[in-house]
Amino acid sequence: MGSPMDQEPPFDPEVTLAAAAAGWGRLSARLGPDVRDRLAELLAVARAPEQGEAGRRAAARAASLLRERLPDEFGEGAQARLVAVHDAAGGPPTVQGFTSEDLAVLLMDGHHMVGPVLGPVRERLLAEPALDPDTVERRGGSPYSPDLIRLRGPGGRIRLPCFQFSDDTLPWLTVLEVNALLGADHDPWGAADWWLSANAWLGTRPARLLGSGRDRQLVEVARFLMESDY
């Protein structure tokens, strides 16, 4: 019988999923589409707060699938290598700054706002006031314009940043025009960051200027930004 120092460390599904997110750039190609689809199904349950125990079981099954398909990374004997884990203020464990939610984002949400660099940007933008599509509809607005910014928040839920709407929940026409210039349909995070970050040319966050009489300046600054990128 081996000594306690030789024994496999306890299996923690959250750590396995976080480690998979940290290495997803090289690991995803090793998993076939069927396995990635199954992982996405399990993570859809695991990330939903209302799932409770069912969510925890789904997370465990997702981690077990990774251990089975990538034993050199996550199987028996490999868990000991996953030592770069810490808890931040009672939050989920992280591996190299990635969490299990980051794996769900990579698999399901279609963007890469994860990890120690882009994850905090995602959290900052999601902390801004936002509406869900049902609320916009109930207030008489339309959440379906292709030029509105839609961000996927915790659990994959759609959030529409509030700055895009006037008091009666109709989109500002300037917002739709600028969002089209910024390509918000395929890069909603980049567009949201432009609106909600300090802008040296404008002297403030662009979102603060909506309704101030500087609409054309917003459009021209956004157009200059996009033209200077090419």
Short mmCIF file of all heavy atoms in Angstrom, two decimals, residues 112-150:
data_model
loop_
_atom_site.label_atom_id
_atom_site.label_comp_id
_atom_site.label_asym_id
_atom_site.label_seq_id
_atom_site.Cartn_x
_atom_site.Cartn_y
_atom_site.Cartn_z
N HIS A 112 -14.22 34.46 -26.73
CA HIS A 112 -13.05 34.07 -25.94
C HIS A 112 -12.77 35.07 -24.82
O HIS A 112 -11.62 35.27 -24.43
CB HIS A 112 -11.82 33.94 -26.85
CG HIS A 112 -11.91 32.78 -27.80
ND1 HIS A 112 -12.64 32.82 -28.97
CD2 HIS A 112 -11.37 31.53 -27.73
CE1 HIS A 112 -12.54 31.65 -29.59
NE2 HIS A 112 -11.77 30.86 -28.86
N MET A 113 -13.81 35.65 -24.25
CA MET A 113 -13.64 36.59 -23.14
C MET A 113 -13.49 35.81 -21.84
O MET A 113 -14.36 35.84 -20.96
CB MET A 113 -14.83 37.55 -23.09
CG MET A 113 -15.02 38.37 -24.35
SD MET A 113 -13.69 39.57 -24.62
CE MET A 113 -14.00 40.72 -23.29
N VAL A 114 -12.41 35.09 -21.72
CA VAL A 114 -12.19 34.20 -20.58
C VAL A 114 -10.76 34.34 -20.09
O VAL A 114 -9.92 34.95 -20.74
CB VAL A 114 -12.46 32.72 -20.96
CG1 VAL A 114 -13.91 32.52 -21.36
CG2 VAL A 114 -11.53 32.27 -22.10
N GLY A 115 -10.50 33.73 -18.94
CA GLY A 115 -9.14 33.67 -18.44
C GLY A 115 -8.72 34.91 -17.68
O GLY A 115 -9.51 35.84 -17.46
N PRO A 116 -7.45 34.98 -17.28
CA PRO A 116 -6.98 36.07 -16.41
C PRO A 116 -6.90 37.43 -17.09
O PRO A 116 -6.89 38.45 -16.41
CB PRO A 116 -5.59 35.60 -15.98
CG PRO A 116 -5.14 34.67 -17.07
CD PRO A 116 -6.39 33.97 -17.53
N VAL A 117 -6.85 37.46 -18.42
CA VAL A 117 -6.75 38.74 -19.13
C VAL A 117 -8.13 39.25 -19.56
O VAL A 117 -8.52 40.37 -19.20
CB VAL A 117 -5.82 38.62 -20.35
CG1 VAL A 117 -5.79 39.93 -21.14
CG2 VAL A 117 -4.41 38.24 -19.90
N LEU A 118 -8.87 38.44 -20.30
CA LEU A 118 -10.15 38.89 -20.84
C LEU A 118 -11.32 38.61 -19.91
O LEU A 118 -12.36 39.26 -20.01
CB LEU A 118 -10.40 38.22 -22.20
CG LEU A 118 -9.41 38.61 -23.30
CD1 LEU A 118 -9.75 37.89 -24.60
CD2 LEU A 118 -9.39 40.12 -23.52
N GLY A 119 -11.16 37.66 -18.99
CA GLY A 119 -12.24 37.37 -18.04
C GLY A 119 -12.66 38.58 -17.23
O GLY A 119 -13.86 38.86 -17.09
N PRO A 120 -11.71 39.36 -16.66
CA PRO A 120 -12.10 40.56 -15.91
C PRO A 120 -12.83 41.60 -16.78
O PRO A 120 -13.69 42.32 -16.28
CB PRO A 120 -10.76 41.10 -15.41
CG PRO A 120 -9.90 39.90 -15.30
CD PRO A 120 -10.27 39.04 -16.48
N VAL A 121 -12.48 41.67 -18.07
CA VAL A 121 -13.20 42.59 -18.96
C VAL A 121 -14.65 42.12 -19.09
O VAL A 121 -15.59 42.93 -19.03
CB VAL A 121 -12.51 42.65 -20.34
CG1 VAL A 121 -13.30 43.56 -21.28
CG2 VAL A 121 -11.08 43.13 -20.21
N ARG A 122 -14.84 40.81 -19.28
CA ARG A 122 -16.19 40.27 -19.36
C ARG A 122 -16.98 40.59 -18.09
O ARG A 122 -18.13 41.05 -18.16
CB ARG A 122 -16.15 38.75 -19.58
CG ARG A 122 -17.51 38.11 -19.74
CD ARG A 122 -17.39 36.60 -19.90
NE ARG A 122 -17.36 35.91 -18.62
CZ ARG A 122 -16.55 34.90 -18.32
NH1 ARG A 122 -15.66 34.47 -19.18
NH2 ARG A 122 -16.62 34.33 -17.13
N GLU A 123 -16.37 40.38 -16.94
CA GLU A 123 -17.06 40.64 -15.68
C GLU A 123 -17.40 42.12 -15.52
O GLU A 123 -18.49 42.47 -15.04
CB GLU A 123 -16.19 40.17 -14.52
CG GLU A 123 -16.01 38.65 -14.48
CD GLU A 123 -15.03 38.21 -13.41
OE1 GLU A 123 -14.56 39.09 -12.65
OE2 GLU A 123 -14.74 37.01 -13.34
N ARG A 124 -16.48 42.99 -15.94
CA ARG A 124 -16.75 44.43 -15.85
C ARG A 124 -17.93 44.83 -16.71
O ARG A 124 -18.81 45.59 -16.27
CB ARG A 124 -15.50 45.23 -16.24
CG ARG A 124 -15.73 46.73 -16.38
CD ARG A 124 -14.44 47.48 -16.61
NE ARG A 124 -13.74 47.09 -17.81
CZ ARG A 124 -14.03 47.55 -19.03
NH1 ARG A 124 -15.03 48.41 -19.21
NH2 ARG A 124 -13.32 47.18 -20.08
N LEU A 125 -17.98 44.32 -17.93
CA LEU A 125 -19.08 44.67 -18.83
C LEU A 125 -20.39 44.07 -18.36
O LEU A 125 -21.45 44.71 -18.49
CB LEU A 125 -18.74 44.22 -20.25
CG LEU A 125 -17.53 44.91 -20.89
CD1 LEU A 125 -17.22 44.31 -22.26
CD2 LEU A 125 -17.76 46.41 -21.01
N LEU A 126 -20.35 42.87 -17.82
CA LEU A 126 -21.58 42.26 -17.32
C LEU A 126 -22.08 42.92 -16.05
O LEU A 126 -23.25 42.76 -15.69
CB LEU A 126 -21.36 40.76 -17.09
CG LEU A 126 -21.19 39.90 -18.34
CD1 LEU A 126 -20.90 38.46 -17.96
CD2 LEU A 126 -22.45 39.96 -19.22
N ALA A 127 -21.21 43.64 -15.34
CA ALA A 127 -21.63 44.34 -14.13
C ALA A 127 -22.42 45.61 -14.44
O ALA A 127 -23.06 46.19 -13.55
CB ALA A 127 -20.41 44.68 -13.27
N GLU A 128 -22.38 46.07 -15.69
CA GLU A 128 -23.14 47.25 -16.07
C GLU A 128 -24.64 46.94 -16.09
O GLU A 128 -25.04 45.81 -16.35
CB GLU A 128 -22.70 47.72 -17.46
CG GLU A 128 -21.26 48.22 -17.54
CD GLU A 128 -21.10 49.60 -16.93
OE1 GLU A 128 -22.12 50.30 -16.76
OE2 GLU A 128 -19.94 49.97 -16.65
N PRO A 129 -25.49 47.94 -15.83
CA PRO A 129 -26.94 47.71 -15.88
C PRO A 129 -27.36 47.14 -17.23
O PRO A 129 -26.89 47.58 -18.28
CB PRO A 129 -27.53 49.11 -15.65
CG PRO A 129 -26.45 49.85 -14.91
CD PRO A 129 -25.15 49.33 -15.45
N ALA A 130 -28.24 46.16 -17.19
CA ALA A 130 -28.67 45.49 -18.41
C ALA A 130 -30.10 44.99 -18.26
O ALA A 130 -30.62 44.85 -17.14
CB ALA A 130 -27.73 44.31 -18.74
N LEU A 131 -30.73 44.74 -19.39
CA LEU A 131 -32.10 44.20 -19.44
C LEU A 131 -32.06 42.85 -20.13
O LEU A 131 -31.22 42.59 -20.98
CB LEU A 131 -33.02 45.15 -20.22
CG LEU A 131 -33.17 46.57 -19.67
CD1 LEU A 131 -33.91 47.44 -20.70
CD2 LEU A 131 -33.93 46.56 -18.35
N ASP A 132 -33.02 42.01 -19.77
CA ASP A 132 -33.18 40.77 -20.51
C ASP A 132 -34.20 41.00 -21.63
O ASP A 132 -35.00 41.95 -21.56
CB ASP A 132 -33.63 39.62 -19.60
CG ASP A 132 -34.98 39.90 -18.96
OD1 ASP A 132 -36.01 39.71 -19.64
OD2 ASP A 132 -35.01 40.33 -17.78
N PRO A 133 -34.19 40.18 -22.68
CA PRO A 133 -35.09 40.41 -23.81
C PRO A 133 -36.57 40.48 -23.42
O PRO A 133 -37.32 41.30 -23.96
CB PRO A 133 -34.81 39.21 -24.73
CG PRO A 133 -33.40 38.83 -24.42
CD PRO A 133 -33.24 39.07 -22.95
N ASP A 134 -37.01 39.65 -22.48
CA ASP A 134 -38.42 39.67 -22.08
C ASP A 134 -38.81 41.01 -21.46
O ASP A 134 -39.91 41.53 -21.71
CB ASP A 134 -38.70 38.53 -21.08
CG ASP A 134 -38.66 37.16 -21.73
OD1 ASP A 134 -38.76 37.10 -22.97
OD2 ASP A 134 -38.55 36.16 -21.00
N THR A 135 -37.92 41.58 -20.65
CA THR A 135 -38.22 42.88 -20.04
C THR A 135 -38.33 43.96 -21.10
O THR A 135 -39.23 44.82 -21.03
CB THR A 135 -37.12 43.24 -19.03
OG1 THR A 135 -37.09 42.25 -17.99
CG2 THR A 135 -37.38 44.61 -18.41
N VAL A 136 -37.45 43.95 -22.07
CA VAL A 136 -37.52 44.94 -23.15
C VAL A 136 -38.86 44.82 -23.88
O VAL A 136 -39.53 45.83 -24.15
CB VAL A 136 -36.35 44.75 -24.13
CG1 VAL A 136 -36.51 45.67 -25.35
CG2 VAL A 136 -35.02 45.02 -23.44
N GLU A 137 -39.29 43.61 -24.16
CA GLU A 137 -40.57 43.42 -24.85
C GLU A 137 -41.74 43.88 -24.00
O GLU A 137 -42.68 44.53 -24.50
CB GLU A 137 -40.73 41.95 -25.23
CG GLU A 137 -39.93 41.53 -26.43
CD GLU A 137 -40.42 40.21 -27.01
OE1 GLU A 137 -40.23 39.17 -26.35
OE2 GLU A 137 -40.98 40.23 -28.12
N ARG A 138 -41.71 43.56 -22.70
CA ARG A 138 -42.82 43.97 -21.83
C ARG A 138 -42.95 45.48 -21.76
O ARG A 138 -44.05 46.00 -21.57
CB ARG A 138 -42.62 43.40 -20.42
CG ARG A 138 -42.94 41.93 -20.27
CD ARG A 138 -43.15 41.55 -18.81
NE ARG A 138 -42.03 41.91 -17.97
CZ ARG A 138 -40.97 41.11 -17.76
NH1 ARG A 138 -40.91 39.93 -18.34
NH2 ARG A 138 -39.99 41.50 -16.97
N ARG A 139 -41.84 46.17 -21.92
CA ARG A 139 -41.87 47.64 -21.86
C ARG A 139 -42.15 48.26 -23.22
O ARG A 139 -42.06 49.49 -23.38
CB ARG A 139 -40.55 48.16 -21.31
CG ARG A 139 -40.30 47.74 -19.87
CD ARG A 139 -38.98 48.30 -19.36
NE ARG A 139 -38.72 47.90 -17.98
CZ ARG A 139 -37.63 48.24 -17.29
NH1 ARG A 139 -36.69 48.99 -17.87
NH2 ARG A 139 -37.46 47.83 -16.06
N GLY A 140 -42.46 47.44 -24.20
CA GLY A 140 -42.83 47.95 -25.51
C GLY A 140 -41.70 48.14 -26.47
O GLY A 140 -41.88 48.70 -27.56
N GLY A 141 -40.50 47.69 -26.12
CA GLY A 141 -39.36 47.81 -27.00
C GLY A 141 -39.14 46.55 -27.80
O GLY A 141 -39.87 45.56 -27.68
N SER A 142 -38.12 46.57 -28.64
CA SER A 142 -37.78 45.41 -29.44
C SER A 142 -36.34 45.01 -29.16
O SER A 142 -35.41 45.80 -29.38
CB SER A 142 -37.93 45.70 -30.93
OG SER A 142 -37.44 44.61 -31.69
N PRO A 143 -36.13 43.78 -28.64
CA PRO A 143 -34.76 43.33 -28.37
C PRO A 143 -34.09 42.65 -29.56
O PRO A 143 -33.02 42.09 -29.41
CB PRO A 143 -34.98 42.33 -27.24
CG PRO A 143 -36.30 41.72 -27.55
CD PRO A 143 -37.13 42.82 -28.18
N TYR A 144 -34.76 42.67 -30.73
CA TYR A 144 -34.31 41.80 -31.82
C TYR A 144 -33.54 42.50 -32.92
O TYR A 144 -33.15 41.87 -33.89
CB TYR A 144 -35.52 41.07 -32.42
CG TYR A 144 -36.28 40.29 -31.40
CD1 TYR A 144 -37.56 40.66 -31.02
CD2 TYR A 144 -35.70 39.19 -30.77
CE1 TYR A 144 -38.26 39.94 -30.06
CE2 TYR A 144 -36.38 38.46 -29.81
CZ TYR A 144 -37.66 38.85 -29.46
OH TYR A 144 -38.34 38.15 -28.50
N SER A 145 -33.33 43.80 -32.81
CA SER A 145 -32.55 44.48 -33.85
C SER A 145 -31.17 43.85 -33.94
O SER A 145 -30.50 43.65 -32.93
CB SER A 145 -32.43 45.97 -33.53
OG SER A 145 -31.47 46.56 -34.38
N PRO A 146 -30.71 43.54 -35.16
CA PRO A 146 -29.38 42.92 -35.30
C PRO A 146 -28.24 43.82 -34.83
O PRO A 146 -27.13 43.34 -34.61
CB PRO A 146 -29.29 42.62 -36.79
CG PRO A 146 -30.26 43.56 -37.44
CD PRO A 146 -31.37 43.72 -36.45
N ASP A 147 -28.51 45.12 -34.70
CA ASP A 147 -27.45 46.04 -34.31
C ASP A 147 -27.45 46.36 -32.82
O ASP A 147 -26.71 47.26 -32.39
CB ASP A 147 -27.56 47.34 -35.12
CG ASP A 147 -27.25 47.13 -36.59
OD1 ASP A 147 -26.33 46.34 -36.87
OD2 ASP A 147 -27.93 47.72 -37.44
N LEU A 148 -28.22 45.63 -32.03
CA LEU A 148 -28.15 45.78 -30.58
C LEU A 148 -27.05 44.87 -30.03
O LEU A 148 -26.84 43.77 -30.53
CB LEU A 148 -29.48 45.42 -29.93
CG LEU A 148 -30.59 46.47 -30.00
CD1 LEU A 148 -31.89 45.90 -29.43
CD2 LEU A 148 -30.19 47.74 -29.25
N ILE A 149 -26.39 45.33 -29.00
CA ILE A 149 -25.39 44.51 -28.31
C ILE A 149 -26.09 43.53 -27.40
O ILE A 149 -26.91 43.92 -26.57
CB ILE A 149 -24.43 45.40 -27.49
CG1 ILE A 149 -23.62 46.31 -28.41
CG2 ILE A 149 -23.51 44.55 -26.62
CD1 ILE A 149 -22.87 47.40 -27.66
N ARG A 150 -25.77 42.25 -27.58
CA ARG A 150 -26.29 41.20 -26.71
C ARG A 150 -25.10 40.45 -26.11
O ARG A 150 -24.27 39.93 -26.84
CB ARG A 150 -27.16 40.20 -27.49
CG ARG A 150 -28.40 40.80 -28.10
CD ARG A 150 -29.12 39.76 -28.96
NE ARG A 150 -30.29 40.30 -29.60
CZ ARG A 150 -30.28 41.06 -30.70
NH1 ARG A 150 -29.12 41.32 -31.28
NH2 ARG A 150 -31.40 41.53 -31.21
#
